[in-house]
Amino acid sequence: MIKIGVLVSGSGTNLQSIIDASFRGEVDGEVAIVISNNASAFALTRAEDKGIPTRVVSHKGFPDRRRFDMELVKVLNGFNVDLVALAGFMRVLTPEFLEHFPGRVMNIHPALLPSFPGLGVRQKAIDHGVRFSGCTVHFVDQGVDTGPIIIQATVPVYPDDREEQLQERILRLEHKIYPKAIQLFAQGRLKIEGRKVFIDGLKKDEDQCMINPPLHI
Ligand code: GAR
């Protein structure tokens, strides 16, 4: 059973999916601590409802990013976490933070990286006219949304989509792939080699594909 520290800033639907998967036994781990930089994040209520310890560490209370991050490290180490999962955590972590958890920090991003890193990415995908977008769980490195990719899921994008529509479509898949990525980590099946993540026991499926629009129209 691994101990997971989850960092959040907002609603916490991904946190909920991780908690629920762990309660169902689909993740060999438990959420040991939830830390929010935002005291009014609904994610905190979700954790408290399940009896999971929470802390608020506001970035506003620190003179620089490094000292904010060191406080996060202190709290996470106090709970002996094996894995740090960023779940809608809207702060960029410093290299000093990452040094404390090498290969042990994951993030979920609502686009198919390396396309559309950063913020406002669902609207950017619609505006660009792509036929697919999706979500990515990746290990965190020193860049923004640049780390080795663990798992991705695709959804179709339509030119007349509203951002909220695409957001809902993507979120449904986020809630499936984040617990899966964490379970692969908990099972010790992920090996990082440079930019690539090799998954122990993964078989190739040469026929898997999605075409949008479909060929039959
Ligand atoms: C999710 O869509 C997640 O992918 C995104 O924030 C949302 C958080 O939702 N993360 C980022 O954009 C990180 N750059 P949640 O609080 O309901 O899990």
Side-chain angles (χ1 to χ4, degrees):
M1 282 284 262
I2 61 163
K3 285 180 187 285
I4 309 158
V6 185
L7 305 191
V8 297
S9 299
S11 148
T13 63
N14 276 289
L15 167 69
Q16 189 76 56
S17 75
I18 296 165
I19 296 172
D20 291 348
S22 104
F23 274 61
R24 284 196 302 265
E26 292 166 11
V27 167
D28 299 331
E30 58 165 9
V31 178
I33 175 71
V34 173
I35 308 176
S36 175
N37 64 313
N38 165 17
S40 55
F42 185 64
L44 293 166
T45 308
R46 294 179 190 272
E48 283 155 14
D49 282 352
K50 296 286 185 181
I52 295 167
T54 62
R55 295 281 186 282
V56 175
V57 181
S58 171
H59 54 283
K60 292 180 187 148
F62 295 85
D64 55 38
R65 289 202 304 145
R66 201 185 61 79
R67 269 174 274 197
F68 167 65
D69 281 9
M70 287 310 106
E71 181 62 22
L72 297 178
V73 169
K74 202 166 99 189
V75 178
L76 290 163
N77 280 339
F79 285 86
N80 289 317
V81 306
D82 302 294
L83 175 71
V84 180
L86 313 185
F89 183 64
M90 294 305 178
R91 309 290 305 169
V92 176
L93 296 166
T94 55
E96 288 87 349
F97 178 96
L98 296 173
E99 272 168 25
H100 282 83
F101 304 100
R104 297 195 287 134
V105 184
M106 280 185 193
N107 180 43
I108 187 149
H109 181 75
L112 289 178
L113 292 171
S115 291
F116 307 114
L119 297 175
V121 298
R122 304 167 195 91
Q123 190 60 51
K124 283 180 189 161
I126 296 167
D127 292 346
H128 194 91
V130 293
R131 293 294 182 191
F132 290 105
S133 187
C135 43
T136 304
V137 180
H138 62 95
F139 284 111
V140 176
D141 67 6
Q142 296 189 9
V144 175
D145 303 322
T146 54
I149 291 170
I150 301 163
I151 183 167
Q152 294 187 303
T154 57
V155 299
V157 181
Y158 303 102
D160 59 353
D161 270 343
R162 284 175 294 104
E163 187 179 12
E164 307 76 56
Q165 253 179 314
L166 180 58
Q167 176 171 349
E168 255 178 53
R169 212 176 285 147
I170 293 174
L171 256 187
R172 278 201 294 274
L173 288 182
E174 291 188 33
H175 300 158
K176 294 184 187 201
I177 68 170
Y178 212 175
K180 181 66 191 179
I182 292 173
Q183 173 62 350
L184 291 171
F185 178 90
Q187 291 172 318
R189 292 175 65 189
L190 302 180
K191 192 165 77 190
I192 306 174
E193 281 186 23
R195 281 219 46 82
K196 295 185 186 174
V197 178
F198 288 84
I199 302 177
D200 191 39
L202 178 69
K203 294 201 176 54
K204 293 186 187 182
D205 179 352
E206 308 286 355
D207 296 321
Q208 188 182 42
C209 79
M210 270 176 79
I211 303 175
N212 183 34
L215 298 181
H216 61 73
I217 58 168

